[in-house]
Amino acid sequence: MTDADCIFCKIVAGDIPATKVLENDRVLAFRDLYPKAPTHVLVIPKDHYANVAELTAADPALAGEVLRAAAEVALNEGVAEDGWRLLANTGANGGQEVFHVHFHVFGGKPLGRMLSN
Ligand code: AMP
């Protein structure tokens, strides 16, 4: 399941480059192009779903695989012990820019409050 206009589908297909840090049959993790923390990795299902709601409705097991991969990325990045943050922006108010569901894994420094005021 792919979307021809989706930049993350193009990364999955290998049509545009990315720095991959974890990959299996169904999940891919790669470094964010504009990192906001020392560790900033995006974890995605390879299949195209626009957001968390679509993913969980269509394939909750895959959602679980994505979360498991996020935890594995945190371990591999060496941030698991000190702590890290998992974030999925959704829709306009959530600040979502890429409409292929993705989880940001942030770590490597104190990340401060959950939201700015
Ligand atoms: P969001 O606002 O949650 O939709 O986040 C989209 C993220 O994708 C942003 O943090 C971007 O920096 C990141 N991004 C956009 N294009 C690429 C790309 N080609 N490779 C890696 N990260 C990207």
Side-chain angles (χ1 to χ4, degrees), residues 7-8 11 16-18 30-34 36 40 42 89 95-98 102 104:
I7 190 165
F8 288 175
I11 288 175
I16 65 170
F30 52 95
R31 297 202 186 282
D32 197 290
L33 209 49
Y34 304 101
K36 308 286 193 301
H40 186 176
L42 303 175
N89 295 321
Q96 186 176 7
E97 293 174 352
V98 176
H102 53 281
H104 298 256

Side-chain angles (χ1 to χ4, degrees), residues 37-106:
T39 289
H40 186 176
V41 172
L42 303 175
V43 186
I44 67 170
K46 289 186 171 179
D47 282 345
H48 182 91
Y49 298 102
N51 54 43
V52 171
E54 280 193 12
L55 169 63
T56 53
D59 196 339
L62 178 56
E65 289 179 42
V66 174
L67 292 182
R68 183 170 58 191
E72 196 177 332
V73 165
L75 262 181
N76 293 347
E77 293 287 314
V79 302
E81 192 172 324
D82 286 344
W84 51 290
R85 181 171 293 163
L86 190 64
L87 177 72
N89 295 321
T90 304
N93 279 3
Q96 186 176 7
E97 293 174 352
V98 176
F99 289 86
H100 181 131
V101 62
H102 53 281
F103 290 84
H104 298 256
V105 173
F106 297 108

Side-chain angles (χ1 to χ4, degrees), residues 36-37 83-85 106-116:
K36 308 286 193 301
W84 51 290
R85 181 171 293 163
F106 297 108
K109 68 172 187 181
L111 295 167
R113 296 173 63 88
M114 190 165 60
L115 295 173
S116 58

